[in-house]
Amino acid sequence: MRHLDTLIIGLDKALRVMSGIAAASRPYPAGATEDGALDDKERRHSAGLMRINHVGEVCAQALYDAQGRFSDNAQLQQQFAQAGREEEDHLAWTAQRLQELGSRTSVLNPLWYAGAYALGAIAAKLGDARSLGFVVETERQVEAHLNDHLTLLPLQDVRSRAIVDQMRIDEIAHGAAAQSLGAVDAPAPVRMVMQAMAKVMTATAYRL
């Protein structure tokens, strides 16, 4: 029965993540900040970038859940669970911002979630050090991607910028935590594959 309960809980979480249902445990970074004056083109552009960020958080939920589930290390399980809770804040914040911008989340969320879960399971099976190295490289790439978004978002879109900046701070902390637990660097071919996959995801999620 315990395994069945775990399976049901996991499926429920996956369905909530893919459908965009998330609850933040921390205050919304945009807070009471006034929305800047965005024309239709700028609004669509901001929405496309925030949809990419939301997809990234869907993937993060799947990755951390899989890595924690398939690890036998209690300390790592706790770390993945904590990081997953903070990533759920990001999921809720980006979904809220998309709603404010009059847009929607990606229609391909089930695909993104399934692919990320598979990658997380594979990383976990390679051993704790390699799994943590995967986290470090993921967070390094996400940090770079969020830095790019801070330059690409319209200057007057201060609400989106506030969200992205807090996400960037959290991702740096997640990478540092994984590094401190004994991560080994991901091999160069793995880093290149991750970068290629990220490019496909961002190009697709911007529109879909």
Side-chain angles (χ1 to χ4, degrees):
M1 288 298 294
R2 184 174 61 184
H3 293 301
L4 180 59
D5 288 344
T6 300
L7 176 62
I8 292 172
I9 291 170
L11 287 173
D12 176 69
K13 179 179 179 180
L15 290 172
R16 286 188 292 106
V17 170
M18 289 185 287
S19 60
I21 299 172
S25 59
R26 291 177 291 169
Y28 188 43
T33 305
E34 290 286 339
D35 240 337
L38 300 172
D39 60 30
D40 288 342
K41 182 178 179 181
E42 290 169 334
R43 188 172 293 274
R44 287 194 301 272
H45 180 56
S46 287
L49 295 176
M50 295 308 286
R51 183 160 42 253
I52 291 171
N53 293 329
H54 185 270
V55 166
E57 298 310 323
V58 168
C59 293
Q61 289 293 305
L63 284 168
Y64 283 133
D65 189 44
Q67 287 177 279
R69 190 174 302 278
F70 292 103
S71 173
D72 296 323
N73 185 316
Q75 185 180 16
L76 261 63
Q77 291 173 352
Q78 183 177 7
Q79 172 59 29
F80 287 133
Q82 174 60 34
R85 283 191 291 271
E86 292 181 358
E87 299 286 0
E88 188 170 358
D89 290 344
H90 301 176
L91 191 71
W93 297 340
T94 50
Q96 181 173 342
R97 185 56 185 153
L98 280 167
Q99 186 176 34
E100 292 172 354
L101 291 166
S103 192
R104 52 163 178 75
T105 58
S106 174
V107 297
L108 299 177
N109 275 346
L111 176 63
W112 306 131
Y113 188 95
Y117 194 94
L119 286 174
I122 292 170
K125 290 299 184 181
L126 293 175
D128 292 341
R130 291 180 184 273
S131 183
L132 289 167
F134 184 78
V135 171
V136 170
E137 181 59 28
T138 297
E139 299 295 11
R140 185 181 294 127
Q141 293 188 20
V142 170
E143 179 192 352
H145 142 88
L146 292 174
N147 283 333
D148 285 344
H149 279 202
L150 287 172
T151 65
L152 293 171
L153 282 164
L155 289 175
Q156 65 271 35
D157 189 359
V158 292
R159 291 178 69 79
S160 295
R161 287 176 168 279
I163 295 167
V164 170
D165 191 49
Q166 183 58 56
M167 289 169 61
R168 183 184 63 83
I169 293 169
D170 292 342
E171 305 299 358
I172 293 172
H174 295 164
Q179 191 75 63
S180 70
L181 289 172
V184 298
D185 290 341
V190 172
R191 295 197 300 269
M192 292 174 64
V193 170
M194 291 172 65
Q195 290 169 352
M197 292 174 64
K199 287 181 180 179
V200 172
M201 184 271 284
T202 55
T204 306
Y206 183 85
R207 295 176 175 79
L208 300 175

